[in-house]
Amino acid sequence: MKNRPFLKAGYIGLLVIVMSMILVTIFPSKASKMPQGFFTPIIAFEFIETKAEVFQLFASTDGTIRQTMVDAMDLGNQLDFIYMFLYSLFLLMFCLKCAEISSKKYYYIGAVIAVAVLSADALENIQLLGITANLETGNFKQYLAWLHLFTWMKWGGIAVIFLVLFFWFIKGGIFSKIIGITGAWSFASGLLAFLSRSVLNELFGLTVALMFIMMIIYCLIYKYDTD
């Protein structure tokens, strides 16, 4: 008899993919000017650091605020509350199942961090929505300050979860080992991006996305024999 212990997490993962596709169609795909090294507006917004960069991100060619971009960004961040719940639940379920199967308690660290990541992502979105709500007045300095903290709590937390799960994946077959190595690289690229904001932030984001895709596939195909 074949046992598929990660199948339920895989189903949640499929919802993560569906929600990702919806958000890709909603979030702006272009901006007049982004900080150096960035090419995805929502990633640039999450890692933005100064008021000048905010205005440049949302400015049209004539220097006025591009309201259509603001509206798209706001809608995307509002729907992102659904997305963050789904991907955090996916990570939580995966870590708990690893702990159950292996009897290794350190996988509970990943589960706890998954809950913390959900909280950080929600607080990050509140800052992003606060910035866009105050674009006209420019009174968003406090939102910008908190944004840096919550953004890195979220992204850093995800990277740490992948590092914890490295010890699960590295013991498996070829595909499993590839996931483990990718997770370790995701953590390393996140650390480098934290030390030097640049195109590394975009590459970090791409490795995180790749990890989710591979983990979801893993959940759907992983099985082992039981008595």
Side-chain angles (χ1 to χ4, degrees):
M1 182 178 177
K2 299 292 184 181
N3 187 14
R4 296 174 178 269
F6 294 102
L7 195 57
K8 290 182 180 179
Y11 292 150
I12 298 297
L14 291 176
L15 294 177
V16 172
I17 292 176
V18 170
M19 200 65 207
S20 298
M21 295 172 65
I22 292 172
L23 290 175
V24 165
T25 65
I26 292 174
F27 277 123
S29 59
K30 295 180 180 179
S32 299
K33 186 177 181 181
M34 288 179 270
Q36 188 174 1
F38 289 88
F39 49 82
T40 309
I42 181 57
I43 298 293
F45 192 19
E46 290 185 8
F47 289 103
I48 213 126
E49 292 182 348
T50 67
K51 290 178 68 172
E53 289 177 344
V54 172
F55 287 126
Q56 289 171 349
L57 181 67
F58 288 99
S60 59
T61 52
D62 62 1
T64 58
I65 298 298
R66 235 171 92 196
Q67 191 58 44
T68 54
M69 183 175 179
V70 173
D71 293 341
M73 200 71 84
D74 282 350
L75 178 58
N77 281 321
Q78 289 160 1
L79 292 175
D80 190 48
F81 283 97
I82 300 172
Y83 178 66
M84 69 179 71
F85 172 77
L86 291 172
Y87 82 71
S88 298
L89 178 60
F90 170 76
L91 293 173
L92 174 67
M93 291 175 68
F94 195 99
C95 291
L96 290 177
K97 187 57 67 173
C98 288
E100 177 187 331
I101 296 171
S102 68
S103 298
K104 302 293 185 182
K105 293 183 178 180
Y106 55 76
Y107 290 115
Y108 288 118
I109 297 173
V112 171
I113 295 174
V115 176
V117 163
L118 174 59
S119 300
D121 201 347
L123 290 168
E124 176 200 54
N125 276 24
I126 290 171
Q127 310 315 308
L128 294 172
L129 292 167
I131 290 171
T132 52
N134 291 278
L135 273 176
E136 293 293 337
T137 63
N139 296 324
F140 52 79
K141 184 178 179 180
Q142 188 171 356
Y143 290 107
L144 203 56
W146 284 109
L147 176 64
H148 181 74
L149 173 64
F150 296 132
T151 294
W152 274 111
M153 283 179 63
K154 178 191 80 172
W155 285 97
I158 293 172
V160 171
I161 292 172
F162 291 161
L163 188 62
V164 171
L165 292 176
F166 168 83
F167 299 99
W168 171 271
F169 289 118
I170 205 65
K171 297 176 183 178
I174 294 175
F175 180 54
S176 181
K177 283 181 169 60
I178 290 173
I179 299 175
I181 292 169
T182 304
W185 166 244
S186 178
F187 177 83
S189 64
L191 182 59
L192 291 172
F194 179 76
L195 295 173
S196 177
R197 191 191 67 162
S198 61
V199 70
L200 289 170
N201 294 68
E202 290 277 2
L203 294 177
F204 175 38
L206 288 174
T207 60
V208 168
L210 180 60
M211 271 296 290
F212 271 103
I213 292 171
M214 290 195 296
M215 284 179 64
I216 292 165
I217 294 172
Y218 179 90
C219 288
L220 298 173
I221 66 174
Y222 177 83
K223 57 187 176 183
Y224 64 87
D225 291 318
T226 57
D227 294 333

